[in-house]
Amino acid sequence: MLRILSAFSLLISMCFFSQTKLNLIPYPQKVEFQNGEFVIPTSFNLSNNLPVNETEYLKNKLKLKFSNAKNQDAHLLYSKLENQSKPNNEAYSIEISSKQIHIKSYTDQGCFLAIQTLIQLFETQKNGKIPAMKIEDSPKFAWRGMHLDVCRHFFTIEEVKQYIDYLAMYKLNTFHWHLTDDQGWRIEIKKYPKLTQIGSKRKESMIGAYVDDTFDGKPYGPYFYTQDQIKEVVKYAQDRHITVVPEIEMPGHALAALSAYPELACTKGPFEAATKWGVFDDVFCPKDETFTFLENVLDEVIQLFPSQYIHIGGDECPKTRWKECAHCQALIKKNNLKDEHGLQSYFIHRIEKYVNSKGRKIIGWDEILEGGLAPNAAVMSWTGIKGGIEAAKTNHFAVMTPGAYCYFDHYQGDPQTEPNAFGGFTPLDKVYSYKPIPAELNAEQSKYILGVQANLWTEYILDFKQVQYMIFPRLFALSEVGWGTSKPENYKEFENRVVEHFKILDKMNINYAKSIYNISGKVIPASKGVSYELSTSQNPSGIKFTTDGSEPTSNSSTYQNPIPASKAMNIKSAYFENDELKSAVSSQNFSTSKTTGKKITLEHQPSENYSFGGAFTLVDGIIGNVKQLGKTWLGFQGKDVVATIDLGEKTNFSEVYFNTLDNKGSWIHLAKSATVSISDDGKNFRTIKEIGKEEILSTKGKINIKLGNQNAKFIKIKVENAGIIPAGNPGADSKAWLFVDEIGAR
Ligand code: ACM
Ligand code: ZN
């Protein structure tokens, strides 16, 4: 995956609302409270007509004694409603009186969803009592999905079943199983045994942040699911009314398949399953042999998965090999295709025709729109919402999974307090704020938005405990967004329910992120240098801090006003409730200099996604952290950094320093040159030093320019962008990114 990391924007809601009465997630569409209470009995009597599967589920989840009873004596009574002309299969109602709980639904699925509501009412009740009420409920969106990548890292069927259970608990209904990718083929295909014999292993795996490019040296695999195991998972999901949508990637992300069957590529190979994360040039070659192979694979996949949709990937397929392949070029000519993008479209159309002939439909990532969408295809909109909009406007269904809101491999708190993640910043309130229907669509077009899904790519997710951590509590937000009862303007009320559901996760021994308790820090200019302002979405009097590098305790200073950071120092902060540490400890180093907190202007503004705190970021006293691309750095695509700093008065200095990044995989290149000029009036500048590419290369981006003794009021720094990315690099011919963190002077 080659995503440029999205902005690290802190949106802290500071409003407080009183707690809702019911601790339900997702919150039901309609709740009417009535007089009275249902007291949870020691022996819970069930009516005989409850669906068997749903009864079993309930009995397994609630630690109560159960027995059967006639309708009038049952604590839990069920009525199956007559089918109206077109009932919502997922609709249900629950009436709770002091004597009885009565579930009504059209289908067993509706009953199952009602039982989830009931279990939550039991688990979050106070004093063994549930208020009398009537709940009428049904989801807004038909597709409420979670994806799991089992290729970058593998998870056992027991773990996959747990994952499916989490979906069920929170009324999600679709499990998107990402089964094939460059780094491993994970599904047994009887006709092609080498796919799992060879393609389910890799030599080693990349470790650490992507920029480090280091490997663990440990063979990984063979890891795959047998067809019997797959059937077991599909049955397990069916019992929970969850549809499993398998994904078989094509034409890109195919290296593991090509390692087993190199004859399906444009060039001879040999190939091996990828050990790095990213996007690779060797992809399926659209020859007849490849289509036969893929059709045979899909035959077995269709047998195993009863889902209406089969996900065929389609994303991130470089055209490098196709451009140089005689077969591919001849195919483009023969079919009058415009170019390689036309060939991608040809590929997807041909696969769609096959899948349709088996009575199924295809869904694919945004890029299946390239060169024209196949007639019945649905789009999974991930690079943003454009793909979904385009699909809906042309009467194609779309599932919304935009990276900025729905990629759960992003950080959900300050990266310094989190396990290593892909990057980006998608905290709970960001997920909760998502509205799946794009504003651009009218009512008719909106019907094509099938729903919403979150994706969990596992490059940096090494075990199942970390899977839990990445999805919780964000899955709660997704659940309510998909159900259609989210109220981002009442985020705080939602957060109160989230905290109640942490207790359920605790009981199940599920690991989850406590980032909502974390302290946010913001640097603000002060009369001398800068100050550090701390905030929390919780009770502000719970913030404790230290400035001497020691760990904060409940006895540390209570935060009241912004903390002056006029010298180099380390500020540590944490959130406490009743003397108990609730958050991670946030730590911020300040490295102040003669520019810190001074007035700065930029000739060109940074790109929107990497504009963090604007120009001020470059004089906020914080040296950039490579793990926080969106936070402490400003990013400029194709533009120079031209910064003028007003020191306020004539000042002595003898060096200027800053860092720039080198991460060619993400199109980030070192600067070409750097120039320092000075002035006393801010108008007439005199260049005093220029350094070139060689010198910058030799510093690996940690630039320190010695100037001799200088005295001036203004310093101007020009850092020259590398320009157009040269051939042979990722993103060749595109504009390079230039990242700068802090411009200091001593
Ligand atoms: C994707 O994230 N490459 C769909
Ligand atoms: Zn080819």
Side-chain angles (χ1 to χ4, degrees), residues 467-712:
V467 166
Q468 295 173 336
Y469 183 93
M470 298 309 276
I471 64 172
F472 287 116
R474 290 184 286 199
L475 184 147
F476 296 156
L478 176 80
S479 153
E480 199 150 297
V481 167
W483 199 261
T485 50
S486 57
K487 292 197 170 63
E489 62 281 12
N490 286 358
Y491 170 73
K492 190 65 200 169
E493 183 279 322
F494 169 69
E495 205 182 78
N496 289 336
R497 282 183 280 133
V498 167
V499 169
E500 288 302 310
H501 281 250
F502 281 167
K503 295 176 191 161
I504 296 175
L505 301 183
D506 283 333
K507 269 196 256 172
M508 294 175 74
N509 196 23
I510 293 172
N511 188 25
Y512 56 90
K514 300 184 179 70
S515 327
I516 58 165
Y517 294 113
N518 283 2
I519 307 296
S520 305
K522 187 176 171 206
V523 187
I524 51 175
S527 54
K528 245 186 118 194
V530 291
S531 294
Y532 199 43
E533 186 178 66
L534 302 178
S535 61
T536 171
S537 66
Q538 314 290 317
N539 181 354
S541 66
I543 303 179
K544 305 284 177 176
F545 74 97
T546 65
T547 57
D548 60 1
S550 63
E551 294 298 295
T553 67
S554 58
N555 294 324
S556 300
S557 308
T558 299
Y559 176 79
Q560 274 162 332
N561 295 308
I563 307 159
S566 51
K567 57 181 193 330
M569 63 159 76
N570 174 236
I571 298 175
K572 286 202 164 99
S573 57
Y575 180 72
F576 289 82
E577 235 173 54
N578 304 323
D579 291 344
E580 188 194 344
L581 175 65
K582 289 292 223 179
S583 69
V585 173
S586 299
S587 170
Q588 185 61 65
N589 278 316
F590 284 86
S591 171
T592 52
S593 84
K594 289 179 176 171
T595 63
T596 309
K598 295 293 191 292
K599 215 151 89 204
I600 178 168
T601 50
L602 286 173
E603 215 166 284
H604 313 291
Q605 295 312 306
S607 298
E608 195 184 332
N609 282 347
Y610 300 94
S611 58
F612 182 51
F616 180 66
T617 306
L618 299 180
V619 291
D620 63 0
I622 297 178
I623 304 292
N625 177 334
V626 186
K627 274 177 78 174
Q628 299 177 296
L629 271 202
K631 199 181 174 196
T632 48
W633 301 82
L634 296 187
F636 299 79
Q637 193 177 20
K639 287 184 200 157
D640 302 332
V641 176
V642 185
T644 306
I645 300 168
D646 179 353
L647 298 171
E649 59 190 358
K650 282 187 69 138
T651 305
N652 291 320
F653 54 90
S654 60
E655 61 187 31
V656 161
Y657 59 87
F658 58 89
N659 295 312
T660 73
L661 287 176
D662 184 9
N663 182 358
K664 298 192 182 66
S666 294
W667 305 11
I668 302 169
H669 288 245
L670 286 175
K672 229 193 295 196
S673 72
T675 313
V676 182
S677 327
I678 55 173
S679 165
D680 285 334
D681 61 6
K683 292 193 189 84
N684 303 299
F685 281 85
R686 179 163 64 85
T687 298
I688 51 170
K689 186 84 182 226
E690 175 162 5
I691 61 168
K693 199 172 165 182
E694 291 309 311
E695 205 169 328
I696 290 172
L697 271 176
S698 72
T699 65
K700 295 199 166 73
K702 290 188 193 318
I703 293 161
N704 196 328
I705 308 174
K706 300 272 187 274
L707 304 167
N709 288 337
Q710 302 293 340
N711 181 274

Side-chain angles (χ1 to χ4, degrees), residues 185 187-193 195 227 248 250 261 264 284 287-304 310 350-351 354-355 357-358:
W185 183 282
I187 171 174
E188 178 191 23
I189 300 294
K190 306 261 193 211
K191 194 157 194 152
Y192 300 106
L195 283 172
Q227 294 203 349
I248 306 296
M250 62 190 81
Y261 297 96
L264 307 178
F284 285 119
K287 42 192 165 190
D288 287 344
E289 195 180 351
T290 304
F291 286 107
T292 304
F293 165 86
L294 289 171
E295 287 166 11
N296 288 335
V297 167
L298 287 170
D299 280 347
E300 293 191 32
V301 167
I302 284 167
Q303 283 297 316
L304 289 167
I310 304 292
R350 195 159 153 179
I351 291 293
Y354 187 76
V355 171
S357 79
K358 301 286 162 180

